[in-house]
Amino acid sequence: MSKATRTDTRPPAPHDADSHDLIRVLGARENNLKDVSIEIPKRRLTVFTGVSGSGKSSLVFNTIAAESQRLINETYSSFVQGFMPTLARPEVDVLEGLTTAIIVDQQRMGADPRSTVGTATDANAMLRILFSRLGKPHIGPPSAYAFNVPSVTASGAITVERGAKKAVKATFNRTGGMCVRCEGRGAVSDIDLTQLYDDSKSLDDGAIAIPGYGSDGWNMRLYKESGFVDPGKPIRKYTKKELHDFLHHEPVRMKIAGINMTYEGLIPRIQKSMLSKDKEAMQPHIRAFVDRAVTFTPCPECDGTRLSEGARSSKIKRISIADACAMQISDLADWVRGLDEPSVAPLLSALQQTLDSFVEIGLGYLALDRPAGTLSGGEAQRVKMIRHLGSSLTDVTYVFDEPTAGLHPHDIQRMNDLLLRLRDKGNTVLVVEHKPETIVIADHVVDLGPGAGTGGGSVCFEGTVEELRTGGTVTGRHFDDRASVKESLRKPTGTLEIRGASANNLRDVDVDIPLGMLVVVTGVAGSGKSSLVHGSIPAGEGVVSVDQAPIRGSRRSNPATYTGLLDPIRKAFAKANDVKPALFSANSEGACPTCNGAGVIYTDLAMMAGVATTCEDCEGKRFDASVLEYHLGGRDISEVLAMSVDEAEEFFGAGEAHTPAAQRILGRLADVGLGYLTLGQPLTTLSGGERQRLKLATHLGDKGGVYVLDEPTTGLHLADVEQLLGLLDRIVDSGKSVIVVEHHQAVMAHADWIIDLGPGAGHDGGRLVFEGTPADLVAARSTLTGEHLAAYVGT
């Protein structure tokens, strides 16, 4: 029978290649996972949920995505692998069906001052090409418009062999767009000399006001005994030469009190010892000094644009590249749309698409010259997403870490559409998420738990959203929870007046923030919430600010070292055993000599991936064997560091180990819901939400009267939000004021007072659109927040 007249309609036999439609994980044991085995459908949207600390990131990021990346890295040559991050194989028995994983996480973008929103995407590169083609006057190639390319001129001689040797003169020119004064940073630093010393005093009288320059310390002796200045003469009476030698002298070796030392001027000395270091890693008193002594002002030569005069002089339709980068992206997209030039049509089309992606993803309020380091975690994640939206790649695995972080309920629908678009292109989308609004769009849901830390690490549920609702897990039970607007409100004890706030996009905002209450500042992403709170309520006397900036700590840092808990523990061990406290520090005298207190030995295999192996001498305990012979309450120091916060609180609460100072800190950690963390867990393994709550626990002991929190519900499960609200209530009831920048409707409904900014983002925001009680906001429904809150509480 010919093909045309065939009547049987049997479907063709399925091809073997189409049968690989699952990612199989068998026996995952990374971090707290308890031998997890799971099958995840490919080319579908799978949401992983569960209480904070239940093992979601361990499964998705540290197992599936990490192994995918490791396998891809192994396909490169040994030479290339030598320049790549080394990834160890995750603790898992079998991983099958993996595809290329692209991780879009919430790690902040590099804080390099020359990294901007434009350079982090392709937008800046395309603009530079556009101006090099159409800009008038023409000043050079695309590099002439780049603020991170300096202009270079060089000349020399090269020898060409043609029969007899002869030298040929050659000149090399490269036109860059970098401003010479600020070197493309846009700001210049200035040191306030009055903060360094009191010029009415002499060195003998303690003129230097820098931390660590006490009258009898080596730093002060260096200047007193150098012979360059008279230590008994007030600084204001120094001659020009003496002042130069005191402040700016170049380094010189000399003997002081019989010891070889390097003398140099005070300014280069503190620039090397303090100003070149990461501010976040400094001790609080040194950070406070740096904040006082150093001011950053816009570069006077380029007005903060980072660009040379030539780059600023070249324009298209009276707009320079500096003007274009300073525009709000939504306005820049309109400007590019109005350019009609056939010679660069493909370029204009690609640039238009990139800028429209910013607007579509809810970042139209940013400008391309915004420093990348100033973006929040949620904004950084969405900027990274822009690279993938126009990608031609399909059948890859996209891994997202709470893509709704920092998003107003109004913006979440937009994010959901983008996730579905990525899935519909034939990709596998894995999302770690807590918000019901995003869980509801999942094709498949995996709920981890049942608890956190050692109480988690198991799969409690797998299936559809409908099955989750009736599944009986913690997530299922709380899925349809809706907070009701609070009936009884607290009375204000005073007001914090803000007048004429104009930081970033704020439009001369006047607002009275009531004190003694739980105040929520809300509004769509980019409406000016953080600008109002952090710009007008500076952290300082009486104000404790807990933001989302990452904790900077090495793999040796852990909750015990970060919170100061290790000090009372070391002292208690030292007192009980009549030895010195330094023995009980893995970073000091008590460290295992083989691994230097790290617990693992890192072996660098040159061109191949490095390997971390548990130290055989201390078995990962980090301490010298002799130190482990000292006990407190029947436990050695390594056993104490292996305890969870809850266990340690009980241990230090009574008996021989009774230590009130340790118990106080442990109580604060339990208060913020971190009772499951182990004291010695490296900070590098904590999630973003856990880090912020660790900061909050550290600050609970401060004497501040006003607490400013930036989205404390980030990374919190629906069940954990209730505990957070209880903690905020306790802080307010103890006589303090709490101001929270927040999008979570449960927190808004629980507030005593709401301040709503908007109505839109960027230059469409920055205005006060509502202030009052949550009940009034719901009744009025006059703002986007009011509409969403009314829908949430079901009125």
PDB file of all heavy atoms in Angstrom, residues 119-153:
ATOM      1  N   THR A 119      27.214  47.820  32.520  1.00  0.00           N
ATOM      2  CA  THR A 119      28.338  46.921  32.209  1.00  0.00           C
ATOM      3  C   THR A 119      28.003  45.483  32.572  1.00  0.00           C
ATOM      4  O   THR A 119      28.566  44.550  32.021  1.00  0.00           O
ATOM      5  CB  THR A 119      29.626  47.345  32.951  1.00  0.00           C
ATOM      6  OG1 THR A 119      29.390  47.323  34.365  1.00  0.00           O
ATOM      7  CG2 THR A 119      30.079  48.720  32.540  1.00  0.00           C
ATOM      8  N   ALA A 120      27.080  45.273  33.525  1.00  0.00           N
ATOM      9  CA  ALA A 120      26.710  43.909  33.937  1.00  0.00           C
ATOM     10  C   ALA A 120      25.819  43.237  32.896  1.00  0.00           C
ATOM     11  O   ALA A 120      25.676  42.023  32.895  1.00  0.00           O
ATOM     12  CB  ALA A 120      25.992  43.943  35.282  1.00  0.00           C
ATOM     13  N   THR A 121      25.208  44.020  32.027  1.00  0.00           N
ATOM     14  CA  THR A 121      24.420  43.458  30.921  1.00  0.00           C
ATOM     15  C   THR A 121      25.108  43.918  29.630  1.00  0.00           C
ATOM     16  O   THR A 121      26.149  44.546  29.676  1.00  0.00           O
ATOM     17  CB  THR A 121      22.972  43.988  30.965  1.00  0.00           C
ATOM     18  OG1 THR A 121      23.006  45.417  30.952  1.00  0.00           O
ATOM     19  CG2 THR A 121      22.251  43.515  32.209  1.00  0.00           C
ATOM     20  N   ASP A 122      24.511  43.642  28.486  1.00  0.00           N
ATOM     21  CA  ASP A 122      25.147  44.061  27.221  1.00  0.00           C
ATOM     22  C   ASP A 122      24.770  45.487  26.839  1.00  0.00           C
ATOM     23  O   ASP A 122      25.231  45.994  25.817  1.00  0.00           O
ATOM     24  CB  ASP A 122      24.710  43.121  26.080  1.00  0.00           C
ATOM     25  CG  ASP A 122      25.309  41.744  26.244  1.00  0.00           C
ATOM     26  OD1 ASP A 122      26.375  41.658  26.867  1.00  0.00           O
ATOM     27  OD2 ASP A 122      24.698  40.768  25.763  1.00  0.00           O
ATOM     28  N   ALA A 123      23.928  46.132  27.643  1.00  0.00           N
ATOM     29  CA  ALA A 123      23.382  47.436  27.248  1.00  0.00           C
ATOM     30  C   ALA A 123      24.483  48.470  27.027  1.00  0.00           C
ATOM     31  O   ALA A 123      24.456  49.221  26.041  1.00  0.00           O
ATOM     32  CB  ALA A 123      22.391  47.923  28.303  1.00  0.00           C
ATOM     33  N   ASN A 124      25.467  48.515  27.926  1.00  0.00           N
ATOM     34  CA  ASN A 124      26.519  49.531  27.819  1.00  0.00           C
ATOM     35  C   ASN A 124      27.360  49.321  26.568  1.00  0.00           C
ATOM     36  O   ASN A 124      27.692  50.280  25.856  1.00  0.00           O
ATOM     37  CB  ASN A 124      27.404  49.470  29.075  1.00  0.00           C
ATOM     38  CG  ASN A 124      27.890  50.836  29.483  1.00  0.00           C
ATOM     39  OD1 ASN A 124      28.772  51.377  28.838  1.00  0.00           O
ATOM     40  ND2 ASN A 124      27.318  51.400  30.526  1.00  0.00           N
ATOM     41  N   ALA A 125      27.703  48.067  26.291  1.00  0.00           N
ATOM     42  CA  ALA A 125      28.523  47.763  25.104  1.00  0.00           C
ATOM     43  C   ALA A 125      27.799  48.182  23.831  1.00  0.00           C
ATOM     44  O   ALA A 125      28.391  48.768  22.916  1.00  0.00           O
ATOM     45  CB  ALA A 125      28.833  46.271  25.074  1.00  0.00           C
ATOM     46  N   MET A 126      26.482  47.919  23.777  1.00  0.00           N
ATOM     47  CA  MET A 126      25.717  48.288  22.568  1.00  0.00           C
ATOM     48  C   MET A 126      25.610  49.804  22.421  1.00  0.00           C
ATOM     49  O   MET A 126      25.698  50.331  21.308  1.00  0.00           O
ATOM     50  CB  MET A 126      24.332  47.640  22.622  1.00  0.00           C
ATOM     51  CG  MET A 126      24.395  46.135  22.409  1.00  0.00           C
ATOM     52  SD  MET A 126      22.785  45.371  22.143  1.00  0.00           S
ATOM     53  CE  MET A 126      22.258  45.080  23.795  1.00  0.00           C
ATOM     54  N   LEU A 127      25.448  50.500  23.552  1.00  0.00           N
ATOM     55  CA  LEU A 127      25.383  51.970  23.488  1.00  0.00           C
ATOM     56  C   LEU A 127      26.692  52.550  22.974  1.00  0.00           C
ATOM     57  O   LEU A 127      26.712  53.512  22.201  1.00  0.00           O
ATOM     58  CB  LEU A 127      25.093  52.544  24.875  1.00  0.00           C
ATOM     59  CG  LEU A 127      23.648  52.852  25.245  1.00  0.00           C
ATOM     60  CD1 LEU A 127      23.591  53.464  26.634  1.00  0.00           C
ATOM     61  CD2 LEU A 127      22.991  53.807  24.253  1.00  0.00           C
ATOM     62  N   ARG A 128      27.824  51.970  23.413  1.00  0.00           N
ATOM     63  CA  ARG A 128      29.136  52.482  22.985  1.00  0.00           C
ATOM     64  C   ARG A 128      29.300  52.331  21.474  1.00  0.00           C
ATOM     65  O   ARG A 128      29.791  53.230  20.795  1.00  0.00           O
ATOM     66  CB  ARG A 128      30.269  51.743  23.725  1.00  0.00           C
ATOM     67  CG  ARG A 128      30.312  52.025  25.197  1.00  0.00           C
ATOM     68  CD  ARG A 128      31.668  51.712  25.783  1.00  0.00           C
ATOM     69  NE  ARG A 128      32.046  50.315  25.639  1.00  0.00           N
ATOM     70  CZ  ARG A 128      31.838  49.370  26.551  1.00  0.00           C
ATOM     71  NH1 ARG A 128      31.231  49.697  27.676  1.00  0.00           N
ATOM     72  NH2 ARG A 128      32.227  48.133  26.353  1.00  0.00           N
ATOM     73  N   ILE A 129      28.868  51.186  20.944  1.00  0.00           N
ATOM     74  CA  ILE A 129      28.968  50.976  19.489  1.00  0.00           C
ATOM     75  C   ILE A 129      28.060  51.979  18.765  1.00  0.00           C
ATOM     76  O   ILE A 129      28.444  52.593  17.756  1.00  0.00           O
ATOM     77  CB  ILE A 129      28.571  49.528  19.106  1.00  0.00           C
ATOM     78  CG1 ILE A 129      29.526  48.541  19.762  1.00  0.00           C
ATOM     79  CG2 ILE A 129      28.574  49.346  17.594  1.00  0.00           C
ATOM     80  CD1 ILE A 129      29.079  47.093  19.689  1.00  0.00           C
ATOM     81  N   LEU A 130      26.860  52.194  19.322  1.00  0.00           N
ATOM     82  CA  LEU A 130      25.902  53.127  18.714  1.00  0.00           C
ATOM     83  C   LEU A 130      26.499  54.531  18.623  1.00  0.00           C
ATOM     84  O   LEU A 130      26.444  55.182  17.572  1.00  0.00           O
ATOM     85  CB  LEU A 130      24.617  53.141  19.548  1.00  0.00           C
ATOM     86  CG  LEU A 130      23.463  53.986  19.016  1.00  0.00           C
ATOM     87  CD1 LEU A 130      22.898  53.372  17.742  1.00  0.00           C
ATOM     88  CD2 LEU A 130      22.357  54.111  20.063  1.00  0.00           C
ATOM     89  N   PHE A 131      27.106  55.002  19.722  1.00  0.00           N
ATOM     90  CA  PHE A 131      27.680  56.354  19.726  1.00  0.00           C
ATOM     91  C   PHE A 131      28.911  56.446  18.829  1.00  0.00           C
ATOM     92  O   PHE A 131      29.161  57.486  18.219  1.00  0.00           O
ATOM     93  CB  PHE A 131      28.000  56.801  21.162  1.00  0.00           C
ATOM     94  CG  PHE A 131      26.828  57.449  21.840  1.00  0.00           C
ATOM     95  CD1 PHE A 131      25.878  56.689  22.503  1.00  0.00           C
ATOM     96  CD2 PHE A 131      26.648  58.828  21.797  1.00  0.00           C
ATOM     97  CE1 PHE A 131      24.782  57.275  23.112  1.00  0.00           C
ATOM     98  CE2 PHE A 131      25.556  59.428  22.399  1.00  0.00           C
ATOM     99  CZ  PHE A 131      24.617  58.652  23.065  1.00  0.00           C
ATOM    100  N   SER A 132      29.689  55.346  18.731  1.00  0.00           N
ATOM    101  CA  SER A 132      30.875  55.410  17.861  1.00  0.00           C
ATOM    102  C   SER A 132      30.464  55.494  16.391  1.00  0.00           C
ATOM    103  O   SER A 132      31.216  55.966  15.551  1.00  0.00           O
ATOM    104  CB  SER A 132      31.769  54.187  18.086  1.00  0.00           C
ATOM    105  OG  SER A 132      31.162  53.031  17.590  1.00  0.00           O
ATOM    106  N   ARG A 133      29.231  55.035  16.071  1.00  0.00           N
ATOM    107  CA  ARG A 133      28.752  55.108  14.671  1.00  0.00           C
ATOM    108  C   ARG A 133      28.011  56.420  14.393  1.00  0.00           C
ATOM    109  O   ARG A 133      28.189  57.019  13.345  1.00  0.00           O
ATOM    110  CB  ARG A 133      27.779  53.951  14.377  1.00  0.00           C
ATOM    111  CG  ARG A 133      28.365  52.572  14.538  1.00  0.00           C
ATOM    112  CD  ARG A 133      29.305  52.207  13.374  1.00  0.00           C
ATOM    113  NE  ARG A 133      29.730  50.824  13.438  1.00  0.00           N
ATOM    114  CZ  ARG A 133      30.714  50.377  14.208  1.00  0.00           C
ATOM    115  NH1 ARG A 133      31.388  51.224  14.963  1.00  0.00           N
ATOM    116  NH2 ARG A 133      31.050  49.099  14.202  1.00  0.00           N
ATOM    117  N   LEU A 134      27.175  56.854  15.345  1.00  0.00           N
ATOM    118  CA  LEU A 134      26.286  57.988  15.050  1.00  0.00           C
ATOM    119  C   LEU A 134      26.649  59.281  15.791  1.00  0.00           C
ATOM    120  O   LEU A 134      26.106  60.333  15.478  1.00  0.00           O
ATOM    121  CB  LEU A 134      24.825  57.619  15.420  1.00  0.00           C
ATOM    122  CG  LEU A 134      24.222  56.352  14.795  1.00  0.00           C
ATOM    123  CD1 LEU A 134      22.772  56.202  15.240  1.00  0.00           C
ATOM    124  CD2 LEU A 134      24.291  56.422  13.272  1.00  0.00           C
ATOM    125  N   GLY A 135      27.530  59.197  16.807  1.00  0.00           N
ATOM    126  CA  GLY A 135      27.829  60.381  17.625  1.00  0.00           C
ATOM    127  C   GLY A 135      28.518  61.480  16.842  1.00  0.00           C
ATOM    128  O   GLY A 135      29.375  61.213  16.006  1.00  0.00           O
ATOM    129  N   LYS A 136      28.137  62.717  17.091  1.00  0.00           N
ATOM    130  CA  LYS A 136      28.753  63.888  16.442  1.00  0.00           C
ATOM    131  C   LYS A 136      29.272  64.812  17.539  1.00  0.00           C
ATOM    132  O   LYS A 136      28.515  65.131  18.448  1.00  0.00           O
ATOM    133  CB  LYS A 136      27.717  64.662  15.607  1.00  0.00           C
ATOM    134  CG  LYS A 136      27.112  63.860  14.462  1.00  0.00           C
ATOM    135  CD  LYS A 136      28.039  63.868  13.252  1.00  0.00           C
ATOM    136  CE  LYS A 136      27.401  63.286  12.013  1.00  0.00           C
ATOM    137  NZ  LYS A 136      26.932  61.914  12.084  1.00  0.00           N
ATOM    138  N   PRO A 137      30.526  65.258  17.506  1.00  0.00           N
ATOM    139  CA  PRO A 137      31.575  64.864  16.560  1.00  0.00           C
ATOM    140  C   PRO A 137      32.040  63.434  16.817  1.00  0.00           C
ATOM    141  O   PRO A 137      31.943  62.944  17.940  1.00  0.00           O
ATOM    142  CB  PRO A 137      32.697  65.858  16.857  1.00  0.00           C
ATOM    143  CG  PRO A 137      32.523  66.206  18.291  1.00  0.00           C
ATOM    144  CD  PRO A 137      31.045  66.206  18.525  1.00  0.00           C
ATOM    145  N   HIS A 138      32.558  62.789  15.776  1.00  0.00           N
ATOM    146  CA  HIS A 138      33.075  61.435  15.922  1.00  0.00           C
ATOM    147  C   HIS A 138      34.401  61.527  16.674  1.00  0.00           C
ATOM    148  O   HIS A 138      35.293  62.268  16.290  1.00  0.00           O
ATOM    149  CB  HIS A 138      33.294  60.821  14.532  1.00  0.00           C
ATOM    150  CG  HIS A 138      33.931  59.464  14.588  1.00  0.00           C
ATOM    151  ND1 HIS A 138      33.230  58.344  14.972  1.00  0.00           N
ATOM    152  CD2 HIS A 138      35.200  59.054  14.330  1.00  0.00           C
ATOM    153  CE1 HIS A 138      34.047  57.296  14.950  1.00  0.00           C
ATOM    154  NE2 HIS A 138      35.240  57.711  14.556  1.00  0.00           N
ATOM    155  N   ILE A 139      34.534  60.761  17.768  1.00  0.00           N
ATOM    156  CA  ILE A 139      35.777  60.894  18.550  1.00  0.00           C
ATOM    157  C   ILE A 139      36.605  59.608  18.560  1.00  0.00           C
ATOM    158  O   ILE A 139      37.708  59.588  19.098  1.00  0.00           O
ATOM    159  CB  ILE A 139      35.487  61.296  20.017  1.00  0.00           C
ATOM    160  CG1 ILE A 139      34.575  60.263  20.687  1.00  0.00           C
ATOM    161  CG2 ILE A 139      34.914  62.686  20.108  1.00  0.00           C
ATOM    162  CD1 ILE A 139      34.613  60.356  22.191  1.00  0.00           C
ATOM    163  N   GLY A 140      36.081  58.519  17.977  1.00  0.00           N
ATOM    164  CA  GLY A 140      36.886  57.299  17.936  1.00  0.00           C
ATOM    165  C   GLY A 140      36.038  56.052  18.003  1.00  0.00           C
ATOM    166  O   GLY A 140      34.812  56.102  17.898  1.00  0.00           O
ATOM    167  N   PRO A 141      36.684  54.900  18.208  1.00  0.00           N
ATOM    168  CA  PRO A 141      35.977  53.610  18.255  1.00  0.00           C
ATOM    169  C   PRO A 141      35.163  53.477  19.544  1.00  0.00           C
ATOM    170  O   PRO A 141      35.200  54.371  20.406  1.00  0.00           O
ATOM    171  CB  PRO A 141      37.131  52.594  18.223  1.00  0.00           C
ATOM    172  CG  PRO A 141      38.278  53.319  18.854  1.00  0.00           C
ATOM    173  CD  PRO A 141      38.126  54.748  18.447  1.00  0.00           C
ATOM    174  N   PRO A 142      34.435  52.366  19.734  1.00  0.00           N
ATOM    175  CA  PRO A 142      33.615  52.202  20.944  1.00  0.00           C
ATOM    176  C   PRO A 142      34.383  52.397  22.255  1.00  0.00           C
ATOM    177  O   PRO A 142      33.839  52.901  23.232  1.00  0.00           O
ATOM    178  CB  PRO A 142      33.095  50.755  20.823  1.00  0.00           C
ATOM    179  CG  PRO A 142      33.052  50.489  19.359  1.00  0.00           C
ATOM    180  CD  PRO A 142      34.202  51.247  18.776  1.00  0.00           C
ATOM    181  N   SER A 143      35.688  52.031  22.261  1.00  0.00           N
ATOM    182  CA  SER A 143      36.467  52.179  23.507  1.00  0.00           C
ATOM    183  C   SER A 143      36.571  53.642  23.945  1.00  0.00           C
ATOM    184  O   SER A 143      36.792  53.934  25.121  1.00  0.00           O
ATOM    185  CB  SER A 143      37.867  51.601  23.321  1.00  0.00           C
ATOM    186  OG  SER A 143      38.564  52.324  22.322  1.00  0.00           O
ATOM    187  N   ALA A 144      36.388  54.579  23.002  1.00  0.00           N
ATOM    188  CA  ALA A 144      36.473  56.007  23.341  1.00  0.00           C
ATOM    189  C   ALA A 144      35.312  56.442  24.232  1.00  0.00           C
ATOM    190  O   ALA A 144      35.346  57.515  24.828  1.00  0.00           O
ATOM    191  CB  ALA A 144      36.484  56.843  22.065  1.00  0.00           C
ATOM    192  N   TYR A 145      34.266  55.595  24.319  1.00  0.00           N
ATOM    193  CA  TYR A 145      33.098  55.927  25.146  1.00  0.00           C
ATOM    194  C   TYR A 145      33.049  55.052  26.408  1.00  0.00           C
ATOM    195  O   TYR A 145      32.055  55.058  27.119  1.00  0.00           O
ATOM    196  CB  TYR A 145      31.803  55.713  24.348  1.00  0.00           C
ATOM    197  CG  TYR A 145      31.705  56.611  23.132  1.00  0.00           C
ATOM    198  CD1 TYR A 145      32.219  56.206  21.898  1.00  0.00           C
ATOM    199  CD2 TYR A 145      31.110  57.872  23.216  1.00  0.00           C
ATOM    200  CE1 TYR A 145      32.150  57.038  20.789  1.00  0.00           C
ATOM    201  CE2 TYR A 145      31.031  58.698  22.111  1.00  0.00           C
ATOM    202  CZ  TYR A 145      31.550  58.284  20.899  1.00  0.00           C
ATOM    203  OH  TYR A 145      31.470  59.107  19.812  1.00  0.00           O
ATOM    204  N   ALA A 146      34.131  54.290  26.660  1.00  0.00           N
ATOM    205  CA  ALA A 146      34.145  53.370  27.808  1.00  0.00           C
ATOM    206  C   ALA A 146      34.851  54.015  28.986  1.00  0.00           C
ATOM    207  O   ALA A 146      36.019  54.404  28.867  1.00  0.00           O
ATOM    208  CB  ALA A 146      34.843  52.074  27.420  1.00  0.00           C
ATOM    209  N   PHE A 147      34.151  54.094  30.142  1.00  0.00           N
ATOM    210  CA  PHE A 147      34.782  54.749  31.300  1.00  0.00           C
ATOM    211  C   PHE A 147      35.785  53.827  32.002  1.00  0.00           C
ATOM    212  O   PHE A 147      36.454  54.252  32.934  1.00  0.00           O
ATOM    213  CB  PHE A 147      33.724  55.247  32.293  1.00  0.00           C
ATOM    214  CG  PHE A 147      32.778  54.193  32.784  1.00  0.00           C
ATOM    215  CD1 PHE A 147      33.170  53.247  33.702  1.00  0.00           C
ATOM    216  CD2 PHE A 147      31.463  54.168  32.328  1.00  0.00           C
ATOM    217  CE1 PHE A 147      32.303  52.284  34.153  1.00  0.00           C
ATOM    218  CE2 PHE A 147      30.572  53.206  32.779  1.00  0.00           C
ATOM    219  CZ  PHE A 147      30.998  52.256  33.699  1.00  0.00           C
ATOM    220  N   ASN A 148      35.883  52.562  31.570  1.00  0.00           N
ATOM    221  CA  ASN A 148      36.915  51.721  32.182  1.00  0.00           C
ATOM    222  C   ASN A 148      38.076  51.438  31.229  1.00  0.00           C
ATOM    223  O   ASN A 148      38.841  50.510  31.438  1.00  0.00           O
ATOM    224  CB  ASN A 148      36.323  50.400  32.724  1.00  0.00           C
ATOM    225  CG  ASN A 148      35.327  49.789  31.766  1.00  0.00           C
ATOM    226  OD1 ASN A 148      35.375  50.094  30.580  1.00  0.00           O
ATOM    227  ND2 ASN A 148      34.451  48.940  32.271  1.00  0.00           N
ATOM    228  N   VAL A 149      38.200  52.258  30.168  1.00  0.00           N
ATOM    229  CA  VAL A 149      39.353  52.145  29.262  1.00  0.00           C
ATOM    230  C   VAL A 149      40.103  53.478  29.256  1.00  0.00           C
ATOM    231  O   VAL A 149      39.554  54.498  28.833  1.00  0.00           O
ATOM    232  CB  VAL A 149      38.895  51.804  27.817  1.00  0.00           C
ATOM    233  CG1 VAL A 149      40.099  51.746  26.878  1.00  0.00           C
ATOM    234  CG2 VAL A 149      38.138  50.487  27.786  1.00  0.00           C
ATOM    235  N   PRO A 150      41.351  53.504  29.748  1.00  0.00           N
ATOM    236  CA  PRO A 150      42.106  54.771  29.746  1.00  0.00           C
ATOM    237  C   PRO A 150      42.689  55.051  28.359  1.00  0.00           C
ATOM    238  O   PRO A 150      42.890  54.130  27.555  1.00  0.00           O
ATOM    239  CB  PRO A 150      43.228  54.510  30.762  1.00  0.00           C
ATOM    240  CG  PRO A 150      43.420  53.027  30.735  1.00  0.00           C
ATOM    241  CD  PRO A 150      42.101  52.410  30.376  1.00  0.00           C
ATOM    242  N   SER A 151      42.947  56.324  28.089  1.00  0.00           N
ATOM    243  CA  SER A 151      43.623  56.683  26.829  1.00  0.00           C
ATOM    244  C   SER A 151      45.125  56.419  27.004  1.00  0.00           C
ATOM    245  O   SER A 151      45.695  56.757  28.030  1.00  0.00           O
ATOM    246  CB  SER A 151      43.412  58.155  26.502  1.00  0.00           C
ATOM    247  OG  SER A 151      42.059  58.370  26.180  1.00  0.00           O
ATOM    248  N   VAL A 152      45.715  55.808  25.976  1.00  0.00           N
ATOM    249  CA  VAL A 152      47.139  55.455  26.059  1.00  0.00           C
ATOM    250  C   VAL A 152      47.833  55.933  24.794  1.00  0.00           C
ATOM    251  O   VAL A 152      47.315  55.769  23.690  1.00  0.00           O
ATOM    252  CB  VAL A 152      47.320  53.918  26.188  1.00  0.00           C
ATOM    253  CG1 VAL A 152      48.791  53.548  26.223  1.00  0.00           C
ATOM    254  CG2 VAL A 152      46.631  53.387  27.417  1.00  0.00           C
ATOM    255  N   THR A 153      49.022  56.538  24.963  1.00  0.00           N
ATOM    256  CA  THR A 153      49.865  56.879  23.815  1.00  0.00           C
ATOM    257  C   THR A 153      51.252  56.339  24.104  1.00  0.00           C
ATOM    258  O   THR A 153      51.783  56.583  25.185  1.00  0.00           O
ATOM    259  CB  THR A 153      49.944  58.402  23.613  1.00  0.00           C
ATOM    260  OG1 THR A 153      48.614  58.905  23.475  1.00  0.00           O
ATOM    261  CG2 THR A 153      50.736  58.752  22.376  1.00  0.00           C
TER     262      THR A 153
END
